[in-house]
């Protein structure tokens, strides 16, 4: 495989996990600038009107870009799939332009934040269930981003461990009691 070609969200997820903490302040500014320029270029093809893109540094060493404006539902898409695709495209372009990977989360009007809170709640509930029933619990198939949220939500829970299993669209997290 050509090392400059990213073929799947899975490769970005792995690369992001490997590159955490490698950015400094200059890198974050550069990453934000390239990401925002890319998003604005993509949005020029949509009829979404004026938008604002706010940038934040996340709790897990990621850059969060939150897009706000009028009528942005088209950017979220059904079940957030359009938003996931936008994030994939921005991550791929960032890698090509910058030469390194850094986790960038694209959000639209806090949609992913609400989803993150929901997934963290489901993860903690699943962990309690795994412990109380003393058995492995397989969660529903999830995107790489959602699986990463589950792993992060449960990484400090001494009663369980998590593992991703399956292939492609059937890849899911299994929560195992210790």
């Amino acid at each position: 495989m050509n090392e400059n070609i990213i073929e799947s969200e899975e490769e970005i997820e792995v690369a992001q996990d490997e590159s955490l903490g490698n950015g400094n302040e200059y890198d974050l500014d550069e990453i934000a600038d390239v990401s925002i320029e890319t998003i604005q270029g993509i949005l020029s093809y949509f009829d979404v009107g004026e938008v604002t893109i706010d940038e934040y540094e996340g709790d897990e060493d990621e850059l969060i870009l939150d897009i706000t404006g009028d009528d942005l539902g088209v950017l979220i898409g059904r079940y957030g799939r359009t938003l996931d695709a936008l994030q994939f495209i921005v991550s791929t372009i960032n890698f090509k332009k910058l030469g390194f990977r850094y986790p960038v989360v694209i959000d639209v009007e806090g949609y992913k934040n609400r989803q993150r809170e929901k997934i963290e709640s489901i993860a903690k509930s699943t962990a309690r269930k795994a412990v109380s029933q003393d058995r492995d619990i397989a969660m529903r198939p999830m995107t790489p981003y959602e699986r990463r949220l589950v792993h992060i939500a449960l990484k400090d829970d001494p009663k369980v461990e998590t593992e991703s299993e399956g292939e492609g669209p059937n890849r899911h997290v299994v929560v195992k009691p210790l």
Side-chain angles (χ1 to χ4, degrees), residues 48-52 68-70 72:
V48 294
E50 287 293 314
V51 299
T52 302
T68 55
D70 298 329
L72 295 179

Side-chain angles (χ1 to χ4, degrees), residues 35-69:
S35 300
I36 290 170
E37 178 184 319
T38 301
I39 291 168
Q40 289 171 334
I42 292 169
L43 292 181
S44 70
Y45 293 97
F46 290 84
D47 186 23
V48 294
E50 287 293 314
V51 299
T52 302
I53 303 173
D54 296 313
E55 61 184 83
Y56 311 94
E57 189 172 349
D59 296 337
E60 297 296 326
D61 292 327
E62 72 268 0
L63 174 65
I64 300 170
L65 299 175
D66 190 19
I67 305 169
T68 55

Side-chain angles (χ1 to χ4, degrees), residues 126-146:
T126 302
R128 286 190 299 272
K129 184 176 176 182
V131 170
S132 71
Q133 295 181 4
D134 195 30
R135 66 179 183 94
D136 296 357
I137 305 286
M139 299 180 75
R140 68 168 174 79
M142 296 179 171
T143 65
Y145 174 72
E146 291 170 329

Side-chain angles (χ1 to χ4, degrees), residues 69 85-87 89 109 111 115 152 165 178:
L86 178 62
Q87 182 170 314
I89 290 167
E109 296 182 341
Y111 173 82
Q115 291 303 104
I152 290 168
E165 294 181 357
L178 295 176

